[in-house]
Amino acid sequence: MTMHAEGTFDVKLTPQPEDKCEGLTLGRMLIDKQFHGDLEAASTGQMLTGMTAVQGSGAYVAIERVTGTLHGRRGSFILHHLGLMVRGAPTLKVTVVPDSGTGELVGIAGTMTIIIADGKHSYDFAYSLPEAQP
């Protein structure tokens, strides 16, 4: 059964040195997040970016380890991000890495939608977990 977790998050991105050549830029950032709401957790990770000479076109991938409590179940899991921007039109897919759940989150699967509105970040996390064992 698919469940939903919703809430907000604060994120701090720390840029690392860039590699620029012929109008193309490769970048790397460190991720530090705090989730609030149905997912009370902290995450750390890294993001790789590739920007083109065309305004609004590029890509990013990221991996972050989320540790905390999801609807009362404690543990951790890994999220994989895949983002593309084509002349300002974004697509983003954030997926739980299979078999990455620990603790009471073993077996977690799902996808997270990230919403950015008025400079604030929120999430809608559609996920499934095996039934808790007595």
Side-chain angles (χ1 to χ4, degrees):
M1 178 169 95
T2 300
M3 297 181 283
H4 281 268
E6 297 177 324
T8 62
F9 66 91
D10 303 306
V11 61
K12 178 183 175 189
L13 299 175
T14 304
Q16 304 300 295
E18 293 180 335
D19 178 10
K20 295 183 179 190
C21 180
E22 298 179 5
L24 304 176
T25 303
L26 299 181
R28 184 170 70 91
M29 295 185 204
L30 303 179
I31 303 168
D32 182 9
K33 268 187 201 171
Q34 295 293 317
F35 289 93
H36 311 286
D38 297 327
L39 174 61
E40 286 289 335
S43 80
T44 58
Q46 293 194 30
M47 174 189 301
L48 298 175
T49 62
M51 303 306 294
T52 73
V54 175
Q55 181 69 25
S57 290
Y60 92 89
V61 294
I63 297 287
E64 64 179 304
R65 181 183 61 239
V66 179
T67 303
T69 304
L70 176 61
H71 281 136
R73 292 174 76 164
R74 178 161 288 289
S76 63
F77 55 91
I78 298 172
L79 288 175
H80 169 262
H81 299 235
L82 177 58
L84 289 174
M85 180 89 74
V86 180
R87 295 180 182 96
T91 59
L92 176 61
K93 185 171 183 178
V94 182
T95 308
V96 174
V97 173
D99 301 318
S100 67
T102 68
E104 296 174 311
L105 300 178
V106 167
I108 191 169
T111 58
M112 182 177 283
T113 301
I114 294 175
I115 303 119
I116 303 172
D118 299 324
K120 296 185 185 335
H121 293 82
S122 60
Y123 64 88
D124 181 354
F125 186 24
Y127 70 95
S128 62
L129 275 165
E131 290 297 317
Q133 299 299 314

